[in-house]
Amino acid sequence: MTDGFVEFKKFEYEGWERLANKYEDVWSSLTRQFIPPLIQGTGVKPGMRVLDVACGPGYVAAESQRLGAHPVGIDFSGEMIRQARTRYPDIEFMRGDAELLDVPERSFDAVLMNFGILHLANPQKAIAEAYRVLSPHGKFGFTVWADPNENPGSKILSDAIAQHGTMNANLPPGPDYYLFADKELCRTVVETTGFYGPSMTFETVTVPWIVPTLNYFFEAELDAAVRTGALLRAQTPEQLSAIQHAVAEAVKPLVTRGGYAIPMAAHVISVSKDA
């Protein structure tokens, strides 16, 4: 991992410590929609030991417990862990690093990560750690946003920035945001960390994100996202205003009962430790 990626890790950590209290109100209505296919893909069942990595406020752990599993949640953000413990006091949550898990080898039957891998400086190392802590025949499942060409919501914002702003923001360099959005590249990465590549499933799931106002999507990315928020704040006032207007115009036709329904697509991926 390069020094630049070390800076990226610090950037993400400081960002989520600052924004953790916004996650429930801003993002949970979107990201929680991907938990059922994530859990289904890894076959979580009663009695299973489940590790929820980059657990945030603890939603995946809570759903695993509801199904009769025995979950543990881990996150690098102390504020996220505080929220998870408050929300689900009967589940074990601990602060830790996805790239260096402080748990024994072969101690879990499933390792789950709902969008957390996008915020890691060294995602391959985190995948290798998932492999290490899984029991024989255990499964690792994770979600990533689809490329804008497959993700209408993401395309709205990326097109607005491309047309009216700049991508040349002074952000710490990090892994490619869409590193795992290509199925075969994803398979190659998980195979290099030891997983049984032929077992990998790669499902694209699209859900409606119901937002209450035309500007909600833009404001969420600006005020409650780490990497994208920093990119938007790096624009000039004129560029930012133009981006906001373009996003609102693209959202306007998506009107539905209760607001606007933005289609958001993600890949739900699972892979077995062995054949």
Side-chain angles (χ1 to χ4, degrees):
M1 186 168 62
T2 68
D3 288 344
F5 282 20
V6 170
E7 287 302 309
F8 176 80
K9 188 170 188 172
K10 179 183 177 185
F11 164 76
E12 283 281 345
Y13 166 74
E14 291 177 348
W16 284 116
E17 284 287 86
R18 185 179 70 255
L19 298 174
N21 64 345
K22 296 185 177 183
Y23 193 95
E24 169 71 21
D25 292 337
V26 176
W27 298 115
S28 65
S29 64
L30 171 60
T31 59
R32 291 177 83 158
Q33 293 187 67
F34 295 94
I35 294 175
L38 174 64
I39 284 181
Q40 183 178 5
T42 46
V44 172
K45 295 179 176 62
M48 288 178 62
R49 300 161 297 169
V50 175
L51 183 62
D52 178 10
V53 179
C55 65
Y59 307 135
V60 172
E63 180 60 16
S64 299
Q65 185 188 59
R66 191 188 70 80
L67 295 173
H70 305 296
V72 173
I74 186 167
D75 200 285
F76 70 170
S77 167
E79 178 58 25
M80 284 293 196
I81 291 298
R82 187 194 68 79
Q83 290 190 30
R85 287 171 176 166
T86 300
R87 188 171 279 111
Y88 308 110
D90 56 341
I91 297 177
E92 180 184 355
F93 293 100
M94 57 184 176
R95 192 171 182 180
D97 189 341
E99 298 167 17
L100 190 63
L101 294 171
D102 188 19
V103 298
E105 293 183 8
R106 302 184 177 189
S107 54
F108 289 92
D109 304 304
V111 176
L112 306 178
M113 194 182 305
N114 195 32
F115 298 106
I117 206 163
L118 301 171
H119 305 290
L120 303 180
N122 192 333
Q124 291 94 326
K125 190 173 181 182
I127 295 172
E129 278 292 273
Y131 181 89
R132 180 183 68 82
V133 305
L134 275 170
S135 60
H137 309 298
K139 282 191 173 183
F140 174 48
F142 62 104
T143 51
V144 295
W145 295 115
D147 180 276
N149 291 326
E150 297 181 82
N151 186 352
S154 179
K155 185 170 174 57
I156 287 173
L157 185 62
S158 63
D159 283 356
I161 296 173
Q163 185 174 357
H164 301 288
T166 178
M167 296 297 292
N168 295 322
N170 188 27
L171 304 182
D176 180 359
Y177 192 78
Y178 296 109
L179 175 63
F180 298 97
D182 178 272
K183 181 177 181 179
E184 292 312 313
L185 179 57
C186 180
R187 190 192 311 276
T188 297
V189 173
V190 298
E191 283 182 330
T192 61
T193 55
F195 283 97
Y196 182 58
S199 72
M200 191 186 84
T201 63
F202 190 95
E203 179 187 6
T204 303
V205 177
T206 302
V207 303
W209 185 25
I210 309 299
V211 299
T213 68
L214 280 175
N215 286 316
Y216 187 94
F217 181 24
F218 171 83
E219 291 167 354
E221 295 286 4
L222 177 65
D223 298 329
V226 175
R227 200 181 324 197
T228 307
L231 174 61
L232 288 171
R233 290 189 294 273
Q235 310 297 318
T236 67
E238 294 77 18
Q239 288 172 325
L240 194 62
S241 178
I243 293 168
Q244 180 177 10
H245 178 75
V247 171
E249 286 298 303
V251 170
K252 190 180 294 184
L254 304 176
V255 65
T256 190
R257 185 175 182 178
Y260 302 86
I262 302 174
M264 300 294 293
H267 303 305
V268 181
I269 301 152
S270 69
V271 64
S272 296
K273 184 168 185 174
D274 344 85

